[in-house]
Amino acid sequence: MTAENIKNFYRFDSLKITNGNLKFQSGKITMSIKNGSDNLYINSVLFRLSYKVISKNSDYLFSRIDLAKLIDPVLRPSYIKTAKRFDTVIIDPGHGGSDSGSVNNYGKEKDFNLRLSKILMKDLERKGFRVRMTRSSDLYPTLGKRVQFANRIPNAIFVSIHFNSFVNNTAKGIETYALSPQGSGTHNDRGVRNNFLKGNVRDSENIALATAVHASIMKKTQADDRGIKRDRFTVLAGLSMPAVLIEGGFLSNPVEAKKIASSSYLSILSSGIASGIVTYRNALR
C-alpha cells in the first residue's frame, strides 16, 4: 500500500516527504516514519512494524499486514468488528514460585510483578472493573494453566505484568507486547512458532489495547519509550480475549531498578495501566 493511498483513505490533511522522512498530519493525529525503517510513530508513541517501509518507483510502500493489523485498528478502534465490551480484567503477575524471573539487589522480578499487580487490582476495582488474577501469592501456575484459567472467564481482557533485564545494564525503558499477527515476523522470536494462533483472532483488539495502555504508561511515567512490539509469547498465543504483556522497566538498570523497588513508582505504573484500559474501553464505544 502506498503512502499516498494511506493519506487519502484515512483523510490526512497532508503528507510531507523530506529526504525519505514521511509525516502524515491531520487534526489531532501525527504519524511519521523514515524510509527503510520499521519504527512508526503515531502521536509520539513508538510502534514496531512487522515489515520496514520501502521505496519503489518514487512511491513509499507499507506492508498490507501492518496496515490491516496495526495502522487501521490504531487509527480507527471503533471499526474493529470483533471488539466486544468487557467488564473484567485478568491480571497475570509473571513468574512466581520456583521461577523468580530476573533478580537484582532489590529483589526478584516475581515479587515486583505481584506487588504491581495487587496495586493495579485495587485501581481497576475503583474504576468499576471486576478483577481476576492468575496468581495472588508466590505460586507458579504454568503458562498453560494461566491460559486455561483466563479462557474460562467471559467478557474479559488479559494483562500480563513483567519487568525486563538485559546483560547491558544501560538498557532502560518500557515496552508493551501484543501477539504477532499471522504471516508476520516477531521482534524477539520467543514463545511458540506456529503461524496462526488462537489469539490471532483478536489481533486488531490486541494492538488497540496495547496502544491505549502503552501511551498512558508513557504519559504517566515519562520513561524511555521502547515501543509497542509483537511477539509470540506462549501466554498470549492461546488466549481467546484481547491481551497484552507489559515490560515495566529494566531490573538490570541501577536507576530503573531503584524506581521499581519503590511503592510510589509502582503506583504510577499502575495508574498508567488502569487509565489506558479505561481509554481502550471508551474507544470501543
Side-chain angles (χ1 to χ4, degrees), residues 148-200:
Q148 291 171 8
F149 170 82
N151 283 341
R152 289 195 294 265
I153 300 171
N155 305 319
I157 63 170
F158 184 95
V159 179
S160 190
I161 301 294
H162 289 259
F163 289 94
N164 234 326
S165 183
F166 191 62
V167 62
N168 182 347
N169 65 9
T170 63
K172 59 182 179 178
I174 293 172
E175 53 195 20
T176 302
Y177 284 88
L179 185 64
S180 297
Q182 182 184 15
S184 73
T186 170
H187 291 122
N188 284 315
D189 199 26
R190 293 182 287 190
V192 295
R193 296 176 181 272
N194 301 42
N195 196 30
F196 184 80
L197 304 161
K198 188 172 184 178
N200 286 136

Side-chain angles (χ1 to χ4, degrees), residues 34 41 56 119 122 130 136 146 161 200 216 238 269:
K34 294 180 181 179
Y41 290 87
K56 185 177 182 180
I119 296 170
K122 293 180 181 179
R130 293 175 59 237
S136 55
R146 295 172 201 242
I161 301 294
N200 286 136
S216 179
L269 270 175

Side-chain angles (χ1 to χ4, degrees), residues 51-65:
Y51 297 97
K52 295 178 180 180
V53 169
I54 61 173
S55 60
K56 185 177 182 180
N57 299 330
S58 75
D59 286 325
Y60 293 91
L61 305 180
F62 288 73
S63 159
R64 288 186 178 273
I65 286 178

Side-chain angles (χ1 to χ4, degrees), residues 2 7-8 30-31 44 48 60 64-65 92 154 172 188 211 246 263-264 271 276 280 282:
T2 68
K7 182 251 185 185
N8 293 334
T30 299
M31 186 169 77
S44 300
R48 291 287 301 281
Y60 293 91
R64 288 186 178 273
I65 286 178
D92 173 45
K172 59 182 179 178
N188 284 315
T211 301
I246 299 164
S263 297
S264 59
S271 176
Y280 171 71
N282 292 343

Side-chain angles (χ1 to χ4, degrees), residues 136-153:
S136 55
S137 61
D138 189 20
L139 299 174
Y140 178 72
T142 65
L143 298 179
K145 287 183 178 179
R146 295 172 201 242
V147 171
Q148 291 171 8
F149 170 82
N151 283 341
R152 289 195 294 265
I153 300 171

Side-chain angles (χ1 to χ4, degrees), residues 156-274:
I157 63 170
F158 184 95
V159 179
S160 190
I161 301 294
H162 289 259
F163 289 94
N164 234 326
S165 183
F166 191 62
V167 62
N168 182 347
N169 65 9
T170 63
K172 59 182 179 178
I174 293 172
E175 53 195 20
T176 302
Y177 284 88
L179 185 64
S180 297
Q182 182 184 15
S184 73
T186 170
H187 291 122
N188 284 315
D189 199 26
R190 293 182 287 190
V192 295
R193 296 176 181 272
N194 301 42
N195 196 30
F196 184 80
L197 304 161
K198 188 172 184 178
N200 286 136
V201 175
R202 315 306 286 269
D203 279 340
S204 294
E205 294 154 276
N206 292 339
I207 197 65
L209 173 60
T211 301
V213 170
H214 189 78
S216 179
I217 293 173
M218 290 299 100
K219 183 177 180 181
K220 294 281 187 179
T221 64
Q222 298 296 302
D224 282 39
D225 184 0
R226 293 178 61 87
I228 297 168
K229 301 181 179 181
R230 303 299 188 92
D231 216 323
R232 294 191 174 94
F233 291 113
T234 302
V235 77
L236 299 181
L239 293 169
S240 59
M241 67 204 65
V244 294
L245 185 148
I246 299 164
E247 296 278 8
F250 279 78
L251 294 174
S252 52
N253 182 293
V255 176
E256 285 199 339
K258 186 176 181 179
K259 285 184 178 181
I260 293 165
S262 71
S263 297
S264 59
Y265 188 70
L266 293 182
S267 294
I268 293 171
L269 270 175
S270 174
S271 176
I273 298 168

